[in-house]
Amino acid sequence: MRAVTLVVAVVLAVSAPAGGAPSAPAASASSTSAAPERGAAGGIPPGTRVETYLGNLSFPVDMAWVPGSSKIFFTEKNTGRVRIVTARGLRAEPCVDLDVASDNERGALGIALDPFWGQSKRIYVYYTYDADPMAAPPPENRVTRFDVVDNRCVNPLHVATIPSPNSRHNGGQIQFVAGKLFVATGDGTAPSRAQTLDSLLGKVLRYNPDGTIPSDNPFTTSSGAPSPVWSYGHRNPFGLAHKPGAGWLFESENGENCDDELNRIRRGRNYGWGIGYACDDPVGPSPLPPLAEWGDPDTGDPVIVPTDLWWYEGAMPELSGSLYMGDFTFGQIHRFDLDSTGSSVVSSGVVHDDPGHVVDVSAGPGGWLYFMTTSAIKRIVPGS
C-alpha cells in the first residue's frame, strides 16, 4: 500500500482555505471552471463543465444523496455536524451535532442512506465519539443509525463501536451492498492489528443494518460466534463503493510512502498490510494484489492519498458505467473502466483537475456526477 499517510492530507486540508461558517446559497451554480481534457482516457466530455454547487463549507468529508430529490446529507469533519442541503440551499440547523474528537484524521467521516430509505428514513454515520476530551474513556469510532424526522436526526442506535487508539489511521467509510453494511477501518498506526483477526482495526467489516453480525461472514470469534471481519490486511481505507446490482465492492487505501491502492474487496481475503510490509512486498497469507496503485520511491511515482469512490450510473451517458475516485494530494478525479467481471482495470484516466483537495465523489440532484473538496460541493454538468 502506498501514499503518504492521511494525516498529512488532513494537515494540508486544515491549512487549506476552507472558508468560514457554511453559507446557504441556492442549489444552482455559483461558479464554473473548465477541466483539462487528457485525450481519450481522460477529461470531462466535450460540451460539459465543472461548476460549484455549494461553496464556503467547513471541511465536508462525505455526502449521501436521496435519489430522485434535491436533498443531500453530508458530514463536517471538525464540527461533527451532519448537514442537509435542499433545493433552497444549506439548512442552517444541522440534522445532528455530534460530539467528536477531530484531531488529525478523527471526526465526522462517512455517511450512508439506509438502502430502504423510502420506508425507513434512516441514515448511518461513522464518527469519532468524544464527549469530553479531558476525561476518560478515550475516543472511539462509532457507526450510528439515526431516524430522520422533520430534518432532524433522532433515535440514535449505535450499530458498531470500533477502537480509536490513535488520531491517525481511523478509516471511516461505510457502504451498503445487498442490504449489508460494510465499514472500513484503519489500523490505528499499529500494522500488527491489520493481520490479527480478533481486532476490528485494519479491516473491512460487514454488519446487518441493526448491528448484528451476519451468519455467513467468513470468520468466527474465539467463542465461535460470527465475526464482523469481512477482509483484513488494510492500512488506512478512505473509500468504499459498489456497482449497483452487481455486488462488486471497491476500496481505496492509503499507503505509507508507497502503494496507495484501489482494491476489489472479496470475502475473507488478505490485502497484505502488516508488520514487515515493504513497498510491493505484502505480508500474510495469499495477499490479493490491487487493481491499481500509486507511489514508488524507486521511480519517483508519487503517492496521491486516494479518497472516496463512486460507481456512476447517471444522467450523463459519457461518464456512466465507470468507477470514480478522489485524489486528495493533486485534487484529481480518476476514472476506471473495468472488465466484465470487475476484476481488472481496462483503462483509466483523469477526468478533472481541481484546485481543491477532492475528498468524495458521488451522484447527486439531477443525476449528475458530484464531488466534494474540503470547502465545496461541485458537479459536472452540460454546458460550456
Side-chain angles (χ1 to χ4, degrees), residues 306-384:
T307 55
D308 205 10
L309 303 154
W310 188 261
W311 187 286
Y312 178 67
E313 303 282 358
M316 194 166 289
E318 305 94 324
L319 296 176
S320 291
S322 297
L323 181 67
Y324 293 84
M325 184 187 77
D327 164 342
F328 193 98
T329 299
F330 299 103
Q332 296 180 329
I333 299 175
H334 299 257
R335 177 179 184 170
F336 304 93
D337 295 316
L338 283 84
D339 68 7
S340 61
T341 66
S343 301
S344 64
V345 174
V346 175
S347 64
S348 63
V350 173
V351 172
H352 174 64
D353 280 297
D354 198 84
H357 301 290
V358 177
V359 294
D360 186 30
V361 186
S362 179
W368 311 121
L369 185 63
Y370 286 64
F371 63 96
M372 300 179 78
T373 70
T374 52
S375 62
I377 299 174
K378 301 182 181 183
R379 62 183 183 177
I380 302 172
V381 296
S384 57

Side-chain angles (χ1 to χ4, degrees), residues 222-234:
S222 57
S223 65
S227 166
V229 174
W230 185 256
S231 65
Y232 65 102
H234 301 289

Side-chain angles (χ1 to χ4, degrees), residues 95-96 120-123 144-149 152-159:
C95 191
V96 65
S120 70
K121 299 298 187 291
R122 288 171 170 168
I123 64 169
T144 300
R145 186 184 78 190
F146 295 94
D147 297 330
V148 180
V149 179
R152 293 289 290 167
C153 294
V154 298
N155 304 325
L157 173 69
H158 303 311
V159 171

Side-chain angles (χ1 to χ4, degrees), residues 66-377:
V66 179
S69 79
S70 60
K71 180 171 285 188
I72 296 171
F73 296 89
F74 69 89
T75 52
E76 290 180 349
K77 175 191 176 299
N78 294 330
T79 68
R81 293 178 293 188
V82 175
R83 309 301 302 272
I84 301 177
V85 184
T86 69
R88 295 185 176 183
L90 181 64
R91 290 180 56 84
E93 185 179 35
C95 191
V96 65
D97 194 345
L98 300 166
D99 293 319
V100 299
S102 60
D103 49 328
N104 290 325
E105 296 169 22
R106 290 170 168 159
L109 303 173
I111 188 169
L113 295 182
D114 186 290
F116 301 103
W117 163 266
Q119 294 77 42
S120 70
K121 299 298 187 291
R122 288 171 170 168
I123 64 169
Y124 292 71
V125 183
Y126 185 118
Y127 62 101
T128 312
Y129 173 74
D130 192 8
D132 184 354
M134 303 303 294
E140 65 183 16
N141 290 314
R142 290 179 174 178
V143 179
T144 300
R145 186 184 78 190
F146 295 94
D147 297 330
V148 180
V149 179
D150 296 328
N151 290 315
R152 293 289 290 167
C153 294
V154 298
N155 304 325
L157 173 69
H158 303 311
V159 171
T161 300
I162 300 152
S164 178
N166 194 288
S167 63
R168 300 188 301 141
H169 298 195
N170 282 269
Q173 278 300 329
I174 56 179
Q175 179 83 185
F176 275 97
V177 184
K180 304 300 184 185
L181 177 64
F182 289 81
V183 179
T185 70
D187 69 359
T189 72
S192 62
R193 298 184 182 118
Q195 292 288 324
T196 303
L197 291 177
D198 61 2
S199 170
L200 298 182
L201 300 181
K203 309 296 191 297
V204 172
L205 310 173
R206 181 176 180 255
Y207 294 90
N208 291 316
D210 62 358
T212 57
I213 312 301
S215 60
D216 60 346
N217 276 9
F219 303 106
T220 58
T221 65
S222 57
S223 65
S227 166
V229 174
W230 185 256
S231 65
Y232 65 102
H234 301 289
R235 183 176 182 270
N236 196 20
F238 208 58
L240 285 177
H242 75 287
K243 179 181 180 180
W248 303 345
L249 181 63
F250 302 95
E251 174 242 30
S252 66
E253 186 160 342
N254 286 259
E256 196 165 16
N257 63 344
C258 61
D259 297 345
D260 287 345
E261 295 178 352
L262 170 65
N263 290 305
R264 168 80 182 273
I265 298 300
R266 297 183 182 273
R267 181 182 187 273
R269 295 302 300 269
N270 169 36
Y271 287 81
W273 174 254
I275 291 177
Y277 182 93
C279 297
D280 294 320
D281 189 13
V283 301
S286 304
L288 199 63
L291 296 177
E293 58 183 0
W294 301 261
D296 186 339
D298 293 334
T299 65
D301 176 41
V303 293
I304 64 172
V305 185
T307 55
D308 205 10
L309 303 154
W310 188 261
W311 187 286
Y312 178 67
E313 303 282 358
M316 194 166 289
E318 305 94 324
L319 296 176
S320 291
S322 297
L323 181 67
Y324 293 84
M325 184 187 77
D327 164 342
F328 193 98
T329 299
F330 299 103
Q332 296 180 329
I333 299 175
H334 299 257
R335 177 179 184 170
F336 304 93
D337 295 316
L338 283 84
D339 68 7
S340 61
T341 66
S343 301
S344 64
V345 174
V346 175
S347 64
S348 63
V350 173
V351 172
H352 174 64
D353 280 297
D354 198 84
H357 301 290
V358 177
V359 294
D360 186 30
V361 186
S362 179
W368 311 121
L369 185 63
Y370 286 64
F371 63 96
M372 300 179 78
T373 70
T374 52
S375 62
I377 299 174

